[in-house]
Amino acid sequence: MSAIVSVQRHLLETQRHHPTATGDLTALLWDLTLAFKLINAEVNKAGLVNLYGLDGDRNASGDDVTKLDRFAQDTIFRMMDHGGHLCCMASEEEREIIPIPAKYAKGKYVLSYDPLDGSSNIDANVSVGTIFAIHRRRTPEGTDGTEEDVLQSGRALVAAGYVIYGSSTMLVLSTGQRVDGFTLDPSVGEFLLSHPDIRIPKRGKIYSVNEGNQSFWRENTRRYVDWIKSPEAGPYKGRYIGSMIADVHRTLLYGGIFLYPRTFRHDPVKGECKLRLLYEAGPMGWIVERAGGVATTGDEPVADLVPTHLHDTCPVAIGSPDDVADYLAFYRGER
Ligand code: AHM
Ligand code: MG
C-alpha cells in the first residue's frame, strides 16, 4: 500500500530539497490551501443557501461577477493579506493591484489569481476552480509591491496551480520540478496526494474548443479543426465544458489539445482573445509544460509573454506535445 501524504507534508519534503529555502513559499502555499478549503465548502453549499446568482457587478474584463466569485475573491484576500509573505496581489476580479494593508509586513512574493474560473456556468453545476500564480517580487523587499512585481512572464513563476471544485475537489500544484495532484478528503479536510508526478500523454484523442466561434477564426485554425474531425486525423472526440480549469485538467490527465484561438468578431484586423495571461493562460500553460506538455499562442510559448497590463489576454493552444505540434503546423501554413 502506498503512503498517505498530505499537501503540507509534500511541501515540506519539497522544501528540504532546497537547502537555502526560508520556508516562506511553503507557508504561503499552506495559507492558500486553507483558503481553497473555505471556498470549496461554500461552492458545495451554494445551492442550499441561495448564494447562486449575479452580484450585479462587472469585473475588470467586463464579465458579470457572481456572488461566489466575490466570496472566493474576499476569502483569498482575507487569508493572504496578513501572512507577511506577499508584497501585493492581483486578481481577475479587481481592476488594479491589491495592496497589502499598511499594518501588515510586506513579503517577497506576489500572488496573481482567478478566484473562481468558469463561474458563468455555475448555475448548471459545472466544475469551477481557482487558478493561482506566484512570482518573486522585483522591487526592494519590505516596501509596498507595485505593478512591476506583478507583470512578469510565466518563465519567472516560482509556483502555480489550480483547484477544481467538483464531484471531488482536487488541487494540482507545481513548484517547478514536477506536477502533483491532491484530492481533498472532505471527512478530514485535508488535501492528500492522489496523482503524484502527473505526466501528460504525448498525444491524446480529445480536442477542446468553442466551435461556436468558428466563423470568426483565421482560416488556418478552421482548417486545423476540420482536419482533426476528418478520418485522416481521427478518431478524435470533441469535448468542451466552457470552464478552462475543467477543460485543461482533462487535457492534462488524458492528453489532447485545448484551444482558445483569436476571434475576429469585433476587430476584423487584430482579432480578440478571451483568456487572461496572468490569471488563466499563464499559470495553466505553465503547469501543462511542467507535466511535459506545450502551451503556445501559436507565435510563441505562452510562458515567454510578459504582460504589459494586468488584464492582458492571449490566444492559447495547450496540450500534448504531438497534438500542439499538429496545430502549429496548420497555424504556420505548413499543412
Ligand atoms: P471566467 O473567468 O469569467 O469564468 O471566463 C473564463 C472562461 C474560461 O474558463 C473558459 O475556458 C472560457 O471562459 C470559455 O469561454 P467561451 O464561453 O467563450 O467558450
Ligand atoms: Mg477565469
Side-chain angles (χ1 to χ4, degrees), residues 92 114 117 276 280:
E92 189 190 297
D114 180 352
D117 180 60
R276 292 79 165 181
E280 295 171 330

Side-chain angles (χ1 to χ4, degrees), residues 63 92 114 116-119 131 244 275-276 279-280:
D63 306 320
E92 189 190 297
D114 180 352
L116 212 57
D117 180 60
S119 54
I131 307 172
M244 183 197 198
L275 297 179
R276 292 79 165 181
Y279 318 110
E280 295 171 330

Side-chain angles (χ1 to χ4, degrees), residues 59 63-64 69 92-93 114 116-121 131 209-210 213 240-247 258 260 265 274-276 280:
N59 71 9
D63 306 320
D64 290 319
D69 275 342
E92 189 190 297
E93 299 300 341
D114 180 352
L116 212 57
D117 180 60
S119 54
S120 61
N121 300 314
I131 307 172
V209 64
N210 181 352
N213 291 332
Y240 189 72
I241 297 167
S243 185
M244 183 197 198
I245 205 148
D247 282 317
F258 168 80
Y260 208 112
R265 193 191 310 259
K274 170 144 194 200
L275 297 179
R276 292 79 165 181
E280 295 171 330

Side-chain angles (χ1 to χ4, degrees), residues 232-267:
E232 189 194 334
Y236 270 80
K237 288 178 183 163
R239 295 279 185 271
Y240 189 72
I241 297 167
S243 185
M244 183 197 198
I245 205 148
D247 282 317
V248 173
H249 183 61
R250 181 198 56 246
T251 306
L252 180 67
L253 295 184
Y254 298 166
I257 187 163
F258 168 80
L259 289 175
Y260 208 112
R262 207 178 277 279
T263 54
F264 295 83
R265 193 191 310 259
H266 301 298
D267 185 330

Side-chain angles (χ1 to χ4, degrees), residues 25 28-29 32 36 76 80 86 88-91 109-115 130-136 149-150 152-163 172-174 276-287 307:
L25 181 64
L28 189 171
L29 290 167
L32 263 181
F36 300 150
I76 294 174
M80 305 308 296
L86 297 176
C88 65
M89 296 179 245
S91 161
Y109 293 105
V110 189
L111 172 68
S112 307
Y113 58 98
D114 180 352
T130 302
I131 307 172
F132 63 95
I134 298 164
H135 285 102
R136 202 179 300 276
D149 297 307
V150 181
Q152 300 192 53
S153 73
R155 292 270 168 254
L157 280 167
V158 289
Y162 59 88
V163 185
V172 175
L173 169 73
S174 178
R276 292 79 165 181
L277 177 55
L278 264 174
Y279 318 110
E280 295 171 330
M284 295 304 277
W286 189 78
I287 288 281

Side-chain angles (χ1 to χ4, degrees), residues 183-209:
T183 302
L184 181 65
D185 181 337
S187 58
V188 291
E190 290 286 356
F191 283 102
L192 302 177
L193 184 63
S194 52
H195 296 64
D197 200 8
I198 298 172
R199 303 297 297 168
I200 190 170
K202 197 161 166 290
R203 177 179 288 283
K205 280 291 166 200
I206 299 175
Y207 75 98
S208 185
V209 64

